[in-house]
Amino acid sequence: MTLQMQAPQPKQLQLLKVLGPAHIWALGVGIVLVGEFMGWNYAVGKGGAIGALIACWVIGLLYTCVAMIDSEITSTVAAAGGQYTQAKHMIGPLMAFNVGLYLVLAYTMLEAGDVQVAGQLIQIGAGNLGYNIPWQPFTVLSLVLLAYMNYRGVLATLTVNLVITAAAFASIIILVIGTQPWHPGAVLLHKELLTGLPYGWIGVLASLHFGIWYYLGIEGTCQAAEEVRSPGRALPMGTMLGIITLLIAAALTWYVCCGLLPWEYLGWDNELAPLYDAAHVTGSPTLTVILFVGTLFSAIASANGCINDAARAWFSMGRDRYLPIWFGAVHPGYRTPFRSIIFLMPVAIIFALFIPLAQVITFSILSGLLNYTFMPINMVKFRRMWPLGSIQRGFEHPFHPFPSIVLFTLCSITFFAVYLGYGRQLLAMMAFYIAASCWFAFYRYRYVKRGDQFTMPWPRPAGY
């Protein structure tokens, strides 16, 4: 009898575990904070200033539910891919494939909008100095530089995000202080500018569409789950502190902008940066410069975080063979998903250069909404399959299942709001996801190793 020696299996490279709660906060808030500097004001165009405030509160409740659900599940399913990995464990491969696509498209479209804004801001800044320059080269250059930084390592990437996100948030606080809110009527003119609901309650409903821009992307904290040192502590802490920061920033943004600018101007389609314009109206050169820098920092931080998150989702799908396994490679030196970062870069450049900002935002919002609609189903299944006490959780959100019910209800209402203004885009995107699902079910699924799908060391789920 001959003993056959088995060759040792090569050790698979893993992503580095180097992040803490501050990096998670920087990732979540960094992606979202740009929404306070631009985009939310389209909600004013739909429903007026009061309508945008109602949208801020209603959508704030939606995202509070998202943050609570995400904090519980992700602190337990700590893997790159976030909601994609959750769907893989709780629902099944087809749902996981779709959720992965929602994530990639939501972040890539958001990234395209961010760098488009960054390029246009540089053009505006140069114009104020007397130079007429095109915005497109700066858009491409900023995206390439950010992609290179992501390629080189996650710790440096999110440390930079921490610094520039904190600076952008501080610029909002400085603007609010500069408008002397303790002296109503001195600078802020809410009494004169708040004129009720110009389009009635149907306008308020329509404003929910762009109210999402106040908070879109906070769920991206999940994408770093595999790279944090202590997922059970860092992910809930970073995510919940992030949504609290954003709720404060959204309220302050609405308060200062709607006290300085008439709703007809704020809701104008070509209005790019309402906080920057509000600083202009104060007549203070210092505030104008601070808000210009804050707006630019917020766009760069958001694009930076989106590159990080889109690449993690694409990488996870490649590692599990939902996509070619070539995308699941980890860089041997920098330990980053480098192929996914490079592959998605030209996609973002094309959308940034050739698609208008409002449509890019809408593509991102629709993909995000589809993701949020899946989360209540996922949460209910998670609690049924592994009830409290059956596995260790880093965070247990209270009042289950009410956050799931509220989230599902608000997502359904917001879909209708999107349909009112962008029905064609909504139907086109649904058709795309149906076609992609058919491709996965009838072609790609044969490559998926079904035995490798379940990766968590959990007991057999209840009822199975």
Side-chain angles (χ1 to χ4, degrees):
M1 183 175 180
T2 305
L3 292 176
Q4 293 183 340
M5 300 295 291
Q6 288 186 339
Q9 294 293 320
K11 189 176 180 180
Q12 189 174 14
L13 286 174
Q14 303 292 326
L15 302 175
L16 285 177
K17 292 183 178 296
V18 292
L19 304 177
H23 297 105
I24 299 302
W25 178 90
L27 178 61
V29 177
I31 289 176
V32 185
L33 197 62
V34 67
E36 324 305 337
F37 288 85
M38 63 203 62
W40 69 272
N41 54 302
Y42 295 148
V44 179
K46 297 288 184 182
I50 300 295
L53 179 61
I54 296 171
C56 173
W57 291 337
V58 172
I59 300 299
L61 179 60
L62 184 155
Y63 274 92
T64 302
C65 295
V66 167
M68 290 168 68
I69 291 172
D70 254 353
S71 293
E72 174 166 335
I73 302 183
T74 309
S75 66
T76 312
V77 188
Q83 292 84 1
Y84 152 76
T85 307
Q86 298 166 18
K88 189 180 71 171
H89 284 85
M90 256 65 86
I91 298 181
L94 184 58
M95 188 74 245
F97 174 77
N98 275 281
V99 171
L101 281 188
Y102 303 157
L103 293 168
V104 172
L105 282 179
Y107 295 126
T108 305
M109 295 301 103
L110 187 51
E111 170 192 335
D114 291 332
V115 291
Q116 186 184 110
V117 166
Q120 292 179 6
L121 280 171
I122 292 172
Q123 184 186 45
I124 291 171
N128 291 338
L129 296 174
Y131 299 99
N132 185 19
I133 60 172
W135 59 270
Q136 291 88 347
F138 294 97
T139 290
V140 176
L141 180 64
S142 59
L143 201 150
V144 170
L145 290 176
L146 292 173
Y148 178 68
M149 188 162 62
N150 274 269
Y151 181 98
R152 291 293 301 266
V154 69
L155 182 60
T157 298
L158 294 188
T159 301
V160 169
N161 248 38
L162 178 61
V163 174
I164 61 179
T165 300
F169 180 69
S171 74
I172 298 176
I173 302 292
I174 292 170
L175 176 61
V176 173
I177 294 172
T179 56
Q180 305 175 35
W182 53 89
H183 288 147
V187 180
L188 298 171
L189 305 172
H190 292 101
K191 192 173 180 181
E192 292 80 4
L193 295 176
L194 297 184
T195 54
L197 302 176
Y199 303 116
W201 284 99
I202 191 68
V204 175
L205 180 60
S207 70
L208 296 180
H209 173 185
F210 287 106
I212 282 186
W213 201 239
Y214 281 115
Y215 313 99
L216 178 66
I218 184 63
E219 72 281 1
T221 55
C222 299
Q223 299 301 323
E226 200 167 314
E227 295 162 278
V228 294
R229 293 188 294 270
S230 176
R233 172 175 170 270
L235 289 168
M237 185 181 295
T239 304
M240 297 307 292
L241 285 176
I243 190 65
I244 292 170
T245 305
L246 293 170
L247 289 168
I248 294 170
L252 293 179
T253 296
W254 179 91
Y255 180 76
V256 71
C257 286
C258 292
L260 287 169
L261 298 165
W263 76 270
E264 295 92 338
Y265 181 84
L266 276 173
W268 186 37
D269 277 349
N270 291 327
E271 165 57 23
L272 180 64
L275 272 171
Y276 176 57
D277 284 350
H280 254 305
V281 171
T282 64
S284 166
T286 304
L287 284 178
T288 303
V289 171
I290 289 174
L291 265 295
F292 177 82
V293 173
T295 306
L296 189 59
F297 276 6
S298 72
I300 292 172
S302 183
N304 199 22
C306 285
I307 293 171
N308 178 92
D309 283 1
R312 267 61 181 177
W314 197 256
F315 156 79
S316 298
M317 294 171 74
R319 186 170 59 180
D320 293 338
R321 298 174 187 267
Y322 285 58
L323 296 171
I325 197 169
W326 186 81
F327 292 113
V330 175
H331 193 283
Y334 304 128
R335 307 283 286 277
T336 54
F338 64 111
R339 288 175 182 164
S340 298
I341 292 170
I342 295 171
F343 176 79
L344 292 173
M345 186 173 63
V347 178
I349 288 176
I350 291 170
F351 276 89
L353 293 182
F354 300 110
I355 306 297
L357 180 62
Q359 290 195 23
V360 172
I361 293 172
T362 299
F363 285 142
S364 180
I365 287 173
L366 284 173
S367 295
L369 262 181
L370 287 167
N371 181 30
Y372 308 146
T373 309
F374 130 85
M375 290 175 66
I377 302 168
N378 195 45
M379 185 66 222
V380 170
K381 285 204 71 174
F382 182 54
R383 283 283 182 107
R384 282 185 180 174
M385 294 167 74
W386 290 280
L388 295 181
S390 62
I391 58 176
Q392 186 175 3
R393 288 166 160 84
F395 175 81
E396 295 173 3
H397 80 67
F399 311 122
H400 177 77
F402 292 108
S404 299
I405 295 170
V406 170
L407 176 56
F408 189 83
T409 304
L410 293 180
C411 284
S412 302
I413 295 171
T414 309
F415 269 119
F416 181 68
V418 174
Y419 181 78
L420 290 176
Y422 289 81
R424 288 182 182 176
Q425 287 90 336
L426 176 61
L427 295 176
M429 186 150 280
M430 295 301 292
F432 166 77
Y433 283 119
I434 291 171
S437 297
C438 291
W439 174 82
F440 178 76
F442 295 113
Y443 173 72
R444 188 66 211 176
Y445 186 54
R446 74 183 73 171
Y447 297 100
V448 176
K449 291 185 176 180
R450 282 176 282 184
D452 295 343
Q453 294 301 292
F454 198 88
T455 55
M456 300 307 297
W458 293 342
R460 182 181 292 273
Y464 288 82

